[in-house]
């Protein structure tokens, strides 16, 4: 599966939540978007892994707190399975507890969204995740900045020496949560050029995905707390 989905492509999403009413509501919201197809639903983490293998969705919208296998463990299993390469996980939680965010990222999640998000924000988050972009709720992004910028990691700062000035600019904007088209506008370059820079960043920083680039930006001190 390619890193970037064509703009006109349909994003197939698996909705995972242990609450039937909420799960069906999320599926209904997403199903009304013309470019999103609900590929299935799952009530817990174990079922999410099984349905991911069967349906091969582009995005798994994953609840965190579920009985049995929770969303974090399910995310870990999906992202570690070579047969499921290309499936991206967008974690959806009622809570913004730090340990959830860090564990989700370590497990391989591409983003973290809160359940109080507006329906249109949820739809856009799934679209962006399907395109290979990372998505973090503003409050989550603030927490990540506070955690990582407080103590920049020397090894990541050294890694920046291998980047061009433009690549550093792109990395900083990724860390601030900008989408590819927003980065293109900010730097007055094409979206295609942005994607090329991101490909180079992934290779130079040995990053698995865009979420790791976000963390790299934090580690290097390229993202500053908002006033």
């Amino acid at each position: 599966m390619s890193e970037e989905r064509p703009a006109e492509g349909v994003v197939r999403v698996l909705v995972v939540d242990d609450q039937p009413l909420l799960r069906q509501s999320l599926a209904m919201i997403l199903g009304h978007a013309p470019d999103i197809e609900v590929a299935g639903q799952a009530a817990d983490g174990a079922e999410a892994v099984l349905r991911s293998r069967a349906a091969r969705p582009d995005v798994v919208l994953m609840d965190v707190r579920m009985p049995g296998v929770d969303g974090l463990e399910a995310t870990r299993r999906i992202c570690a399975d070579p047969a499921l390469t290309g499936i991206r996980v967008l974690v959806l939680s009622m809570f913004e507890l730090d340990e959830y965010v860090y564990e989700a990222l370590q497990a391989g999640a591409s983003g973290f969204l809160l359940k109080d998000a507006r329906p249109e924000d949820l739809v856009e988050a799934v679209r962006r995740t399907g395109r290979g972009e990372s998505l973090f709720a503003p409050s989550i992004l603030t927490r990540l900045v506070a955690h990582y910028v407080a103590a920049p990691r020397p090894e990541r700062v050294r890694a920046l020496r291998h980047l061009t000035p433009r690549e550093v600019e792109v990395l900083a904007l990724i860390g601030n949560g900008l989408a590819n088209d927003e980065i293109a506008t900010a730097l007055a370059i094409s979206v295609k050029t942005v994607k090329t820079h991101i490909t180079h960043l992934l290779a130079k920083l040995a990053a698995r995905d865009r979420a790791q680039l976000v963390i790299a930006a934090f580690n290097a001190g390229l993202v500053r707390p908002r006033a």
Side-chain angles (χ1 to χ4, degrees), residues 41-205:
Q41 300 181 31
D44 57 44
E47 186 180 6
V49 176
L50 291 175
R51 290 194 178 276
S52 292
R53 290 171 179 160
R56 300 300 175 94
D58 302 303
V59 176
V60 177
L61 183 63
M62 182 79 75
D63 185 25
V64 171
R65 301 184 68 175
M66 295 181 290
V69 178
D70 65 16
L72 296 175
E73 176 59 27
T75 297
R76 192 173 294 110
R77 294 182 187 181
I78 290 171
C79 294
D81 190 339
L84 301 180
T85 299
I87 295 179
R88 302 182 180 93
V89 178
L90 175 61
V91 173
L92 186 65
S93 175
M94 189 178 297
F95 307 94
E96 56 182 28
L97 298 179
D98 292 350
E99 59 265 29
Y100 287 167
V101 180
Y102 306 141
E103 284 190 50
L105 289 175
Q106 291 172 354
S110 294
F112 199 107
L113 194 65
L114 296 178
K115 288 186 177 179
D116 62 0
R118 298 176 302 174
E120 56 267 32
D121 292 336
L122 171 66
V123 171
E124 183 59 23
V126 169
R127 285 180 181 139
R128 286 182 57 176
T129 304
R131 293 197 299 263
E133 301 180 19
S134 296
L135 190 288
F136 298 93
S139 59
I140 297 298
L141 193 59
T142 298
R143 284 174 176 267
L144 285 171
V145 171
H147 176 79
Y148 284 101
V149 174
R153 276 52 171 182
E155 67 275 11
R156 283 298 191 182
V157 175
R158 287 194 295 271
L160 295 186
R161 297 173 186 170
H162 302 291
L163 305 183
T164 67
R166 179 63 89 189
E167 288 168 349
V168 172
E169 288 180 314
V170 171
L171 182 62
L173 294 175
I174 289 174
N176 276 289
L178 273 66
N180 287 356
D181 55 345
E182 294 170 329
I183 294 174
T185 298
L187 300 179
I189 58 179
S190 69
V191 172
K192 182 178 180 180
T193 300
V194 172
K195 293 178 181 179
T196 298
H197 286 311
I198 292 173
T199 298
H200 293 165
L201 286 168
L202 290 169
K204 290 184 178 182
L205 296 178

